[in-house]
Structures are given as structure tokens and as C-alpha cells.
């Protein structure tokens, strides 16, 4: 009998679940007391590690002071102001303001709406076309589902958002779209490193090429940094890692290390100037929990830990050690290659190696990884992970492949 909880991205008919009850640093424990290395930071987000007392204290203190109050119209709260000031100071684009949402999916839909709105307010209401990438994952709300380049995640939901062009990780294709329809393009969405679509770094010059094309044709460039930001690539933002300045940046996950749901959009000058041009204009977009004080307090605390613990620098070390270990397993027959950036890495398996079975065998041996069909095993550990547990991830991957390979 399936449980009452209808699980996301799972078989609705399943009744086989692992109950996680506790976390410490880079490991979690299930209800039977089994220990697992959390090799994916839960779902790409727990950078500062599980069970951090600083996080718990900040959240508790804010709950005791003010648990919630909306930020519509003229209301605000101190944690929201503190967090957005901090984010604006860290932003990889000059003169940014920060729009707050509750998740990465909401952030992406907000960026799409803000881009279209900016063009509308600038007198260019025909600019509504969205351009995105093959393999891209942009969340599960209507805009993000429409824009993502993962067909399986779009199937069965009927007609989605119109005026979307998914390109094929080929700058020439974007050039053709811009040449033919450049006057219609509102926003170009791109993850600096594609995460859930297979951990795919950009080809050299790709992100720079998108910037140049957007400038040439008047479109806005948005980096979806829901996975890449907050130290994952060794910098605060993927935009910094690749030296490209976007017009909008979406974020979530690592901003609070997942302790409380929070997402948002860094809004650059091209967009904010149009929003601010008319003092009587009202932005009719936002969420009940935009700027939620407890979530924002968690964000402030998480950023403090990332900075005080030197976790951006640690991400580089984690990535180097992980790459060295994973590369040692490459044999050209079962493990074909290693790819990624910073502390976001993956191995590519041969077609005959069952990727889900490898993931399951790893879990049985105490490491939780991510299987991305058809052939990728992804690693995105908490940035606090120790060397012994990093080495265990590599050892367990090798053992799992031995156990399940035909």
C-alpha cells in the first residue's frame, strides 16, 4: 500500500523508502541506524553540512523574535534587509537588487516574468521568446518546465508555456535563432554548469558567446545558479568562475544550505532601471513568503559559515581530491570519463553499466549519490566533507560497479 505522502520524482506506486532521521556534517543516518555519506549534499544544496548549531541558533532566535510577516507593499523585516544587502554586495553583476522567492523553480519563473516585464516597460512588448539549453533543468513550475531541455520532465503535462526555443548546447544554433528571431527574444537561460541534466560544464567560449549575442540583439542573459552558486564552483557565483556578467541570476539551494526553503533573483541594472523608471508603477508579482524572516535569517547564517569556514576554498580542494580518485577508476570499459567543475563532479558510465543499479549498490555500501539517466553518476558533497569520506565515495563507486556490471 503506497503511503499518504505522494513523493516527488518517484514512482507513485512505490512503498519502498529510506527514512532519514539525523544528519551530522557530511553524513546522514536512517531509522535503522545506518550511516551514509551524503555525496549529493541532499539535493545539491547542503554546502555547510547537516546539524550546524549556528544555523539552528539563528533560526530559533528569529522564530522567537518574529516568526513571519509579509513583505508586500510597505512592510519589511530586518533579516530580509540584511540578507538582500549581503547578496547585492556579493552579486556578480553591478548595481543589483534582490527579489526573494521560496525555491529555485519560483526564482526561474520570476526571472522569466521580470525579463518580459522589463521589455514591456521599455516599449518592446513583442519580446517574449525564451531561449534555453538542451539538458538544462530549470525547475518544475510552468515557466521552468517549459524552458528545460529534459523532455521526460515535460511529458504528460499538456500544453506548456508557448514561445520557448530549446537550443542544443551549440552557439551556432543560438546565432541562427538570434539572426531569425532576435527581435523577439526576451531572455536566454543558461546554467553556468548544467547540474541535474548531467553535470555538464560549458564549452570554452560558450557563455561568453551568449553574452555577446544578447548584447548584439537586445536580449537579457540569465544565469540559473540554483546549483552553481554559494561556493559550489569555488566562487560565490558561477558567473565569477567563468568571468561573464549576466543581467539576471537565479539562486536557491545553497543560500540557506537547505535549512529553510529560500530562492530569489539578482536583478541587474538593465531590468531594475525599467522597473524603477515610473514612481507610480507597482510590481504585481511576488509570493506570500517572499522575504520570510526565518528563511532570510537562515540565509544570513549560511553565508557567514561559508565565509568563516573558508568553504569556497575548500570546494576547490574537495573537487581536486574527488577528481583524482574518480579518474583513477576510469578504465575505458565501464567508467569512461570524469567531468565537472569545483565540488560538482560526475562520472560517465558505459552504456552496458546499469546506472540505477550502481546508485543502489552505492547506497547499500553507505554512500548516497545521484543517478542521472542514461549513464551519469553525480557527486556534489557538502563542502565540509572530510578526506576520508571523499575517498570512501570513490572506493564505494568502484565496488558498486564491480558488483553490478555484467
Amino acid at each position: 500500500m503506497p503511503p499518504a505522502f505522494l513523493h516527488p520524482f518517484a514512482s507513485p506506486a512505490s512503498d519502498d523508502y529510506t527514512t532519514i532521521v539525523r544528519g551530522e556534517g557530511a553524513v546522514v543516518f536512517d531509522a535503522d541506524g545506518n550511516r551514509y555519506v551524503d555525496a549529493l549534499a541532499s539535493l545539491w544544496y547542503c554546502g555547510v553540512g547537516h546539524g550546524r548549531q549556528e544555523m539552528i541558533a539563528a533560526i530559533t532566535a528569529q522564530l522567537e523574535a518574529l516568526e513571519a510577516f509579509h513583505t508586500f507593499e510597505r512592510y519589511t523585516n530586518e533579516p530580509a534587509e540584511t540578507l538582500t544587502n549581503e547578496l547585492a554586495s556579493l552579486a556578480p553583476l553591478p548595481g543589483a537588487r534582490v527579489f526573494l522567492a521560496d525555491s529555485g523553480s519560483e526564482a526561474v519563473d520570476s526571472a522569466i516574468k521580470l525579463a518580459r516585464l522589463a521589455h514591456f516597460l521599455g516599449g518592446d512588448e513583442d519580446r517574449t521568446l525564451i531561449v534555453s539549453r538542451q539538458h538544462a533543468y530549470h525547475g518544475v513550475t510552468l515557466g521552468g518546465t517549459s524552458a528545460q531541455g529534459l523532455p521526460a520532465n515535460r511529458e504528460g503535462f499538456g500544453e506548456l508555456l508557448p514561445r520557448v526555443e530549446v537550443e542544443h548546447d551549440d552557439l551556432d544554433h543560438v546565432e541562427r535563432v538570434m539572426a531569425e528571431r532576435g527581435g523577439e527574444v526576451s531572455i536566454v537561460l543558461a546554467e553556468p554548469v548544467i547540474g541535474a541534466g548531467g553535470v555538464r560544464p560549458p564549452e570554452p567560449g560558450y557563455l561568453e558567446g551568449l553574452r555577446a549575442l544578447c548584447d548584439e540583439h537586445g536580449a537579457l542573459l540569465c544565469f540559473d545558479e540554483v546549483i552553481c552558486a554559494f561556493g559550489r564552483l569555488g566562487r560565490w557565483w558561477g558567473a565569477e568562475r567563468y568571468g561573464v556578467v549576466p543581467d539576471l541570476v537565479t539562486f536557491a539551494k545553497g543560500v540557506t544550505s537547505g535549512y529553510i526553503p529560500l530562492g530569489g533573483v539578482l536583478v541587474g541594472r538593465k531590468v531594475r532601471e525599467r522597473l524603477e523608471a515610473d514612481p507610480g508603477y507597482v510590481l504585481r508579482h511576488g509570493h506570500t513568503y517572499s522575504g520570510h524572516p526565518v528563511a532570510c535569517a537562515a540565509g544570513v547564517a549560511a553565508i557567514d559559515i561559508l565565509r568563516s569556514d573558508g568553504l569556497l576554498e575548500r570546494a576547490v580542494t574537495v573537487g581536486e581530491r574527488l577528481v583524482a580518485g574518480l579518474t583513477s577508476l576510469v578504465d575505458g570499459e565501464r567508467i569512461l570519463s570524469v567531468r565537472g567543475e569545483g565540488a560538482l563532479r560526475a562520472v560517465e558510465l558505459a552504456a552496458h553499466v546499469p546506472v540505477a543499479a550502481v546508485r543502489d549498490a552505492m547506497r547499500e555500501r553507505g554512500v548516497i549519490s545521484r543517478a542521472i539517466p542514461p549513464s551519469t553518476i553525480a557527486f556534489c558533497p557538502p563542502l565540509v566533507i572530510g578526506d576520508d569520506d571523499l575517498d570512501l565515495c570513490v572506493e564505494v563507486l568502484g565496488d558498486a560497479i564491480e558488483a553490478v556490471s555484467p
Side-chain angles (χ1 to χ4, degrees):
M1 182 76 168
F5 180 17
L6 183 61
H7 286 250
F9 283 88
S11 169
S14 177
D15 62 358
D16 182 18
Y17 299 98
T18 300
T19 301
I20 301 298
V21 298
R22 184 166 59 89
E24 295 176 3
V27 302
V28 294
F29 299 85
D30 68 17
D32 296 321
N34 297 308
R35 177 189 190 270
Y36 305 90
V37 177
D38 179 10
L40 203 82
S42 186
L43 202 59
W44 319 92
Y45 58 67
C46 193
V48 305
H50 299 280
R52 296 293 299 247
Q53 291 303 310
E54 308 97 307
M55 295 294 299
I56 296 166
I59 291 165
T60 302
Q62 186 55 49
L63 281 168
E64 291 174 342
L66 174 67
E67 84 295 346
F69 200 84
H70 76 85
T71 58
F72 284 24
E73 299 172 331
R74 295 181 178 272
Y75 296 101
T76 191
N77 61 73
E78 290 182 0
E81 296 294 337
T82 300
L83 178 62
T84 53
N85 283 331
E86 180 75 271
L87 291 171
S89 71
L90 294 173
L93 57 164
R97 293 181 70 179
V98 186
F99 179 86
L100 293 174
D102 308 315
S103 68
S105 294
E106 288 183 1
V108 169
D109 274 30
S110 295
I112 290 171
K113 290 178 72 175
L114 289 169
R116 287 181 167 183
L117 183 60
H119 291 301
F120 175 83
L121 293 173
D124 204 354
E125 59 189 50
D126 292 332
R127 280 192 179 272
T128 57
L129 185 66
I130 301 163
V131 176
S132 61
R133 303 173 67 186
Q134 187 183 35
H135 304 298
Y137 178 81
H138 294 302
V140 297
T141 46
L142 184 62
T145 300
S146 303
Q148 68 178 273
L150 299 171
N153 288 351
R154 298 160 55 97
E155 184 178 350
F157 295 113
E159 184 177 358
L160 297 171
L161 200 66
R163 298 181 63 74
V164 177
E165 177 77 20
V166 178
E167 59 92 359
H168 301 282
D169 285 337
D170 180 346
L171 204 56
D172 291 340
H173 183 88
V174 185
E175 289 176 348
R176 290 194 295 272
V177 171
M178 289 294 194
E180 296 169 6
R181 308 179 66 185
E184 303 172 42
V185 178
S186 170
I187 186 171
V188 176
L189 285 167
E191 296 168 271
V193 175
I194 286 175
V199 186
R200 302 174 188 275
E203 292 294 325
Y206 180 81
L207 298 177
E208 294 89 338
L210 291 182
R211 177 71 275 173
L213 287 169
C214 287
D215 289 341
E216 180 182 353
H217 294 277
L220 295 168
L221 177 61
C222 177
F223 281 177
D224 184 347
E225 299 229 21
V226 169
I227 290 176
C228 294
F230 302 104
R232 182 53 55 182
L233 305 186
R235 306 290 292 270
W236 286 107
W237 310 94
E240 291 180 287
R241 166 61 185 83
Y242 292 104
V244 178
V245 179
D247 303 302
L248 296 156
V249 175
T250 60
F251 64 87
K253 295 188 186 292
V255 66
T256 66
S257 271
Y259 277 69
I260 302 287
L262 179 65
V265 186
L266 304 181
V267 181
R269 284 178 177 158
K270 288 183 183 178
V271 176
R272 63 170 291 189
E273 286 174 358
R274 291 184 179 178
L275 298 178
E276 297 167 359
D278 178 1
Y281 176 73
V282 175
L283 174 61
R284 298 188 182 279
H285 174 67
H287 307 277
T288 298
Y289 303 114
S290 291
H292 191 286
V294 179
C296 291
V300 172
I303 290 172
D304 285 347
I305 294 171
L306 288 168
R307 184 181 284 119
S308 65
D309 284 14
L311 294 182
L312 276 66
E313 296 80 6
R314 176 62 182 162
V316 176
T317 304
V318 167
E320 290 173 349
R321 191 176 188 97
L322 195 53
V323 166
L326 295 175
T327 301
S328 72
L329 298 178
V330 173
D331 58 9
E333 296 179 0
R334 296 172 298 183
I335 299 182
L336 304 182
S337 62
V338 178
R339 62 176 180 266
E341 184 67 50
L344 178 60
R345 301 287 174 169
V347 296
E348 184 70 18
L349 304 180
H352 69 275
V353 180
V355 66
V358 171
R359 173 205 60 202
D360 293 345
M362 291 183 69
R363 184 177 60 190
E364 291 170 3
R365 290 162 173 77
V367 173
I368 297 174
S369 62
R370 182 77 183 272
I372 302 175
S375 54
T376 299
I377 296 288
F379 297 88
C380 180
L383 302 178
V384 296
I385 190 170
D387 289 348
D388 288 348
D389 279 332
L390 278 173
D391 295 343
L392 182 63
C393 291
V394 174
E395 177 185 339
V396 164
L397 174 63
D399 291 345
I401 289 175
E402 287 286 346
V404 307
S405 293

